[in-house]
Amino acid sequence: MSSLGHPGPHDAASAAPWRSTGFDLDDGWIGTRELPGYRAGAVVVKLADLPGVDADHLYLDVLRLGENGRTEDNLSGPCPAMRRDHPLDARSRFVRVVAELLRHAPDAQRGLAGLGPPLALLRENGIEGPQLAIAARQLDAACSEDALAASLAHMLVLSFGEEEAQATLTALLGRLLPHARCDGPLVEQVTLLVRRVGRAQARRRLREATDFELLPTPELLGL
């Protein structure tokens, strides 16, 4: 496996899509331009070329890393959505979006267990069109409430920034749960929403309040 060292400083205006950039010290690009990978927190998503396994398509590895940086869990398989002749930029978009979608999904105890179906959907159909939203809904059902809350809070901040995300959620909770009190961090407020209205309703209510799907699209990630 390629080195997962911390990304170094870079010029955002000139950085190529496979070079190191991210939201914290653990985030960043790995691999090569031809076979890129991306680390989002403890999740690594990367492409490999294994013609002996699939002569027409690339292979996708999804890894969950422990605190020591070693692989603790993985889900891997051929990726029909990524033909071997796919453009290089499309490869980078794919691994980055999948990594961001899975960033908070693994459970500390269960790891990647239960995440196979949404990952298989992405491997089969890619991230374009409605596939990303369908996979996200499957992940919502498969991951823990805390993981879903962390993911939604992260996407709120990416979409609106910390202050506007906080204001939007406070207003939403005031309408839906007028008697509930939560003055904690954003993720705690999203957790309250998830627990009170349910997983499917939490995403739907946030979509109605923000007019955003809250998905890690290539456009949102600047790809």
Side-chain angles (χ1 to χ4, degrees):
M1 177 175 165
S2 299
S3 172
L4 298 176
H6 295 328
H10 67 287
D11 181 350
S14 63
W18 62 93
R19 290 180 186 160
S20 296
T21 183
F23 301 104
D24 58 44
L25 290 178
D26 288 330
D27 293 353
W29 295 97
I30 61 172
T32 65
R33 180 178 174 126
E34 290 74 20
L35 296 172
Y38 192 83
R39 176 173 178 173
V43 172
V44 173
V45 176
K46 60 179 184 173
L47 293 172
D49 188 4
L50 303 176
V53 176
D54 190 326
D56 299 319
H57 304 95
L58 297 175
Y59 195 85
L60 186 71
D61 288 309
V62 176
L63 314 175
R64 183 177 70 91
L65 306 179
E67 292 184 359
N68 59 5
R70 295 183 180 278
T71 301
E72 293 191 345
D73 203 357
N74 72 87
L75 285 173
S76 304
C79 189
M82 283 283 107
R83 299 186 314 274
R84 295 182 71 205
D85 61 355
H86 247 54
L88 301 187
D89 286 349
R91 300 180 185 193
S92 294
R93 288 197 301 271
F94 182 77
V95 295
R96 174 77 185 277
V97 168
V98 174
E100 292 293 351
L101 186 65
L102 296 173
R103 174 187 287 270
H104 297 286
D107 183 87
Q109 283 72 43
R110 298 177 61 220
L112 297 173
L115 306 185
L119 183 57
L121 179 71
L122 294 168
R123 286 205 318 259
E124 290 286 336
N125 299 293
I127 58 173
E128 307 301 334
Q131 304 303 326
L132 191 60
I134 295 172
R137 288 195 293 270
Q138 290 187 359
L139 281 173
D140 291 353
C143 69
S144 68
E145 289 183 345
D146 288 343
L148 173 57
S151 178
L152 290 173
H154 184 69
M155 294 310 304
L156 278 168
V157 172
L158 280 185
S159 300
F160 299 101
E162 186 78 37
E163 291 186 7
E164 188 172 348
Q166 190 82 52
T168 298
L169 191 56
T170 298
L172 176 61
L173 290 175
R175 291 196 304 272
L176 293 180
L177 307 169
H179 303 297
R181 309 296 291 181
C182 182
D183 300 322
L186 179 67
V187 68
E188 291 184 9
Q189 296 190 28
V190 179
T191 300
L192 174 63
L193 177 68
V194 170
R195 290 177 177 171
R196 290 295 184 91
V197 306
R199 302 176 190 223
Q201 283 292 315
R203 184 176 288 277
R204 185 173 74 83
R205 293 293 189 175
L206 284 170
R207 185 175 64 247
E208 292 171 352
T210 63
D211 200 30
F212 280 86
E213 291 282 353
L214 298 180
L215 297 171
T217 62
E219 294 75 20
L220 181 63
L221 299 173
L223 297 173

